[in-house]
Amino acid sequence: MSRQELVALSVGGVRFVTQVCTLQQFPESRLARMLSGDDQEFKQVNGEFFVDRDGTLFSYIMDFLRTLKVSLPADFSDYQRLQREAEFYGLYMLAELLSQEHLLRPRLEILEVRCSLQETQAFFRIFGSCSPTVETLAEQITVFTGQQAGHSWNSPFPSPKALLPLPLERPSHHDLAFQCGTNYSAGDQFVARYVSIKPDSRKLVNGTNVLGLLLDTLLKAGFRLLSTRTVSSEDKVECYSFERRQRPAGLTVTLSQSLGTSRGAQATRKQVQKGK
């Protein structure tokens, strides 16, 4: 067979069509030996190779052969069965990757938003179990300050004067803090702090509006609101708890130019960044 020739397989009644070169990724695997007729357990019926194994799990085998990457659905749970299938086909590198189940399972991410709405000001603090998520939020949120005359808490428009960006407070890698609203300065002057949350371009001064936009941003990012509770009735602090199942990084193998045994002597594995 030429490497670009198509070959059909019926695995447990599920039909697959692929190129010969895909099945030859690991020359010592049973799938590669099947093509040369060296493995008698794989029978040809009406021009198709018949394999009496699980067809659903074989779809993940094929995905690995095509991409050299293990990337499983968030609700996948049959790690041991898939590992046995990989061993049956002689794909020992895949079996080894599947043995690292803790790297393949989705992670549960927790996020808390604490908000205190005062008369003319609002204070926010965000705590997250995953520091990269907190870093991403810190890049999305910008606080601007400026003076305005005769404006109140409910003013929807920022001062026409230039607004200066302020750094967010970062007590640790897992939390950030900021505030918005107005402070009386002198005469009829107010010092106002506006909050902008990308991709929304508005500059909001009202704490209720900022809270609504922040919660909406988290929901659009895949978080689910778990609960709302009052942390301090005296200071009017409300806590909003969120969770999100974070897809794990995929595991991939890099093949050398000279392939040896498929147990991994000529391959290395590395963790790759999560795709969105």
Side-chain angles (χ1 to χ4, degrees):
M1 291 184 179
S2 68
R3 287 180 56 80
Q4 301 304 318
E5 188 175 345
L6 297 181
V7 59
L9 301 90
S10 178
V11 183
V14 182
R15 191 170 186 267
F16 297 87
V17 178
T18 187
Q19 291 182 323
V20 168
C21 59
T22 300
L23 299 179
Q24 290 178 334
Q25 287 278 25
F26 301 91
E28 292 192 2
S29 71
R30 297 187 71 181
L31 291 172
R33 298 201 308 270
M34 170 192 74
L35 298 175
S36 59
D38 294 338
D39 195 316
Q40 298 303 312
E41 188 166 347
F42 297 85
K43 305 295 184 181
Q44 271 194 297
V45 180
N46 297 326
E48 296 183 0
F49 287 98
F50 176 76
V51 189
D52 190 17
R53 303 293 293 190
D54 190 306
T56 300
L57 292 178
F58 189 72
S59 65
Y60 302 119
I61 301 283
M62 285 302 305
D63 183 66
F64 172 74
L65 292 175
R66 289 169 176 147
T67 65
L68 296 181
K69 178 180 177 181
V70 184
S71 182
L72 301 172
D75 59 350
F76 186 81
S77 60
D78 289 337
Y79 292 93
Q80 291 184 348
R81 290 183 60 211
L82 184 55
Q83 185 177 352
R84 287 198 300 269
E85 293 299 296
E87 292 172 347
F88 170 81
Y89 292 109
L91 297 170
Y92 297 107
M93 273 191 283
L94 174 58
E96 184 180 356
L97 293 177
L98 289 168
S99 69
Q100 302 180 70
E101 185 178 331
H102 64 288
L103 296 178
L104 294 168
R105 285 189 176 277
R107 294 176 301 161
L108 184 62
E109 184 178 352
I110 303 297
L111 193 76
E112 282 192 355
V113 175
R114 295 192 178 189
C115 174
S116 175
L117 297 177
Q118 307 296 332
E119 291 184 1
T120 62
Q121 296 186 80
F123 301 86
F124 297 87
R125 190 162 185 176
I126 300 174
F127 303 84
S129 62
C130 183
S131 59
T133 298
V134 178
E135 293 290 344
T136 300
L137 282 172
E139 293 173 358
Q140 289 180 264
I141 300 172
T142 306
V143 178
F144 299 90
T145 185
Q147 286 190 341
Q148 58 184 28
H151 286 251
S152 67
W153 161 262
N154 292 314
S155 173
F157 303 108
S159 167
K161 297 181 181 179
L163 299 178
L164 300 176
L166 293 176
L168 301 180
E169 296 180 41
R170 294 300 310 277
S172 75
H173 292 297
H174 289 273
D175 61 337
L176 61 88
F178 61 93
Q179 69 182 82
C180 66
T182 58
N183 274 335
Y184 178 74
S185 177
D188 62 347
Q189 296 291 317
F190 285 86
V191 176
R193 292 194 181 200
Y194 300 89
V195 173
S196 178
I197 305 177
K198 297 177 182 177
D200 195 298
S201 60
R202 292 174 297 170
K203 294 180 176 65
L204 303 175
V205 70
N206 185 286
T208 301
N209 294 339
V210 172
L211 176 62
L213 179 58
L214 178 59
L215 299 185
D216 184 61
T217 299
L218 294 175
L219 293 173
K220 289 180 178 178
F223 281 96
R224 181 171 68 93
L225 180 61
L226 293 179
S227 64
T228 303
R229 71 181 191 277
T230 300
V231 177
S232 171
S233 56
E234 181 179 349
D235 297 327
K236 301 179 181 179
V237 179
E238 299 291 327
C239 178
Y240 301 81
S241 298
F242 293 83
E243 73 170 14
R244 177 175 69 176
R245 289 204 171 273
Q246 191 81 320
R247 288 186 61 84
L251 294 179
T252 189
V253 294
T254 302
L255 301 179
S256 68
Q257 293 181 352
S258 173
L259 284 172
T261 66
S262 57
R263 282 188 176 273
Q266 299 296 330
T268 58
R269 68 179 184 274
K270 63 181 179 179
Q271 209 165 349
V272 296
Q273 295 300 318
K274 172 186 66 178
K276 293 187 179 180

